[in-house]
Amino acid sequence: MTLYFGCRTIEDWIYSTEMQSAVTDGTITNLRTAFSRAQAEKVYVQDLLRLDANKMLPLLLSPNAYFYVCGDGTHMSKGVHAALVDILTGKALKKGGGAGGGGNKKKLMTVEDAEKHLEEMKECGRYVLDIW
């Protein structure tokens, strides 16, 4: 399982011990953290998703992958959704593979098709939002 987690600072990471334990025991195989106020340039979960686009695309297209988004419904969830659309349309894919392996910049879906795909994932319970 891959887990993307974000908060303002590492001091705000209240479940760090539990998440690190889950990495140690193999429950979480890839933990990606974004601390938006820890450096001069803000980094959010959606930024990490875009960086990992070549890894995320096959998951978004797989009927066996599930995406759970939990947190702020005003900005974060919209940013994550936009990143998933960018991945599905090829906008976020890296030429030559980037961090995620062999991809290219060709457009995979239109924005409308990407939105429809994400809506179908929601209907199947594969894209779940717990936002407030």
Side-chain angles (χ1 to χ4, degrees), residues 71-86:
D72 168 51
T74 305
H75 302 289
M76 181 277 302
S77 66
K78 292 175 184 174
V80 167
H81 184 86
L84 297 179
V85 169
D86 286 351

Side-chain angles (χ1 to χ4, degrees), residues 5-17:
F5 175 83
C7 59
R8 290 181 182 209
T9 67
I10 198 163
E11 292 79 22
D12 295 334
W13 189 9
I14 59 174
Y15 293 109
S16 63
T17 302

Side-chain angles (χ1 to χ4, degrees), residues 68-120:
Y68 297 93
V69 179
C70 181
D72 168 51
T74 305
H75 302 289
M76 181 277 302
S77 66
K78 292 175 184 174
V80 167
H81 184 86
L84 297 179
V85 169
D86 286 351
I87 293 166
L88 287 167
T89 60
K91 182 178 176 184
L93 296 178
K94 312 284 185 284
K95 285 188 176 183
N104 59 39
K105 204 116 166 133
K106 76 175 184 177
K107 200 170 197 178
L108 302 176
M109 292 185 184
T110 64
V111 170
E112 294 77 20
D113 287 343
E115 292 285 358
K116 182 180 176 187
H117 181 77
L118 292 171
E119 190 58 38
E120 289 169 357

Side-chain angles (χ1 to χ4, degrees), residues 35-95:
F35 301 107
S36 61
R37 306 299 191 274
Q39 61 283 316
E41 187 175 328
K42 293 181 181 177
V43 176
Y44 298 104
V45 165
Q46 55 265 36
D47 299 322
L48 297 180
L49 287 167
R50 285 185 179 96
L51 285 173
D52 296 345
N54 292 341
K55 291 180 183 177
M56 297 308 299
L57 179 61
L59 295 174
L60 283 166
L61 299 175
S62 168
N64 299 318
Y66 292 79
F67 291 80
Y68 297 93
V69 179
C70 181
D72 168 51
T74 305
H75 302 289
M76 181 277 302
S77 66
K78 292 175 184 174
V80 167
H81 184 86
L84 297 179
V85 169
D86 286 351
I87 293 166
L88 287 167
T89 60
K91 182 178 176 184
L93 296 178
K94 312 284 185 284
K95 285 188 176 183

